[in-house]
Amino acid sequence: MSDFLKSLSSYDIFNNLLPGVVFCVLTSKMFSVSLIQSDVVTGIFFYYFTGLIISRVGSIVLKPLLEKIRFISFSSYSDFISASQEDPKIEILSEANNMYRTMLSMMMLLALTGAYCFFKEDFEFLAEYSAYIFISLSTILFAFSYRKQTNFIKSRIEKSITKVSNQI
């Protein structure tokens, strides 16, 4: 367990573990949903996984939505890679930026959890099929996350190949 905790980067802590813990604590305090884990080991993994879902919702759902309504805009990924090599502080700023996106996502999911708790008694299918809905939505979320990560890797490989080709 201590090896796992030591292996966590600051990104993992601020974008996965912290939002997972905060979400579970707030959900347990505000709504009739107890997500607090009594076992520390189980809790760390559960909170990390919860935070991972929150982070992915921010990346896969929230970010494109905010771009579409022109609330935010980004430079191209290739420009980001180039600029990061010239200015290492961009990586730190990007990590903080991702943390804010994840916290925004957490607040939105907290609101949706509240809506779920409010409406589940009026719409029995929500309570009856909530596990299936969660599994289905999580599967879709992680499929899109996998595709996005694969595209990032591909983009970095192509940038690296182009750079090596230009040096020859």
Side-chain angles (χ1 to χ4, degrees):
M1 174 52 85
S2 67
D3 289 340
F4 171 74
L5 292 174
K6 288 177 187 175
S7 72
L8 291 178
S9 67
S10 62
Y11 183 90
D12 287 324
I13 292 168
F14 290 112
N15 285 288
N16 295 326
L17 190 56
L18 177 65
V21 170
V22 172
F23 179 83
C24 290
V25 168
L26 290 176
T27 299
S28 297
K29 297 240 182 242
M30 297 170 72
F31 309 113
S32 61
V33 179
S34 179
L35 298 176
I36 302 298
Q37 304 299 304
S38 58
D39 176 49
V40 174
V41 175
T42 302
I44 289 171
F45 286 105
F46 180 76
Y47 303 141
Y48 185 89
F49 182 71
T50 302
L52 183 64
I53 290 173
I54 293 166
S55 176
R56 295 300 82 210
V57 167
S59 177
I60 302 301
V61 178
L62 187 60
K63 178 184 171 232
L65 177 66
L66 294 175
E67 283 179 305
K68 189 172 186 87
I69 64 170
R70 297 176 194 243
F71 187 78
I72 57 170
S73 65
F74 289 93
S75 298
S76 71
Y77 189 63
S78 61
D79 288 346
F80 171 78
I81 294 169
S82 297
S84 296
Q85 292 169 348
E86 297 298 317
D87 182 357
K89 191 162 184 165
I90 290 173
E91 290 281 343
I92 296 166
L93 295 170
S94 179
E95 188 174 310
N97 194 46
N98 288 339
M99 181 189 66
Y100 295 136
R101 180 190 67 210
T102 300
M103 291 299 178
L104 177 60
S105 175
M106 181 195 70
M107 297 309 286
M108 290 177 51
L109 288 171
L110 195 60
L112 286 173
T113 301
Y116 165 81
C117 289
F118 183 78
F119 288 113
K120 75 178 179 181
E121 293 178 19
D122 293 333
F123 299 96
E124 290 179 23
F125 75 91
L126 282 176
E128 190 174 339
Y129 295 106
S130 61
Y132 300 110
I133 294 168
F134 174 77
I135 291 169
S136 298
L137 292 176
S138 295
T139 300
I140 293 166
L141 180 69
F142 283 112
F144 279 95
S145 295
Y146 179 57
R147 181 175 75 174
K148 182 177 180 180
Q149 190 68 22
T150 300
N151 288 336
F152 276 146
I153 294 167
K154 182 179 173 186
S155 176
R156 288 190 71 106
I157 290 169
E158 290 169 354
K159 177 110 174 114
S160 178
I161 290 171
T162 303
K163 184 177 179 181
V164 169
S165 297
N166 289 339
Q167 291 175 350
I168 297 177

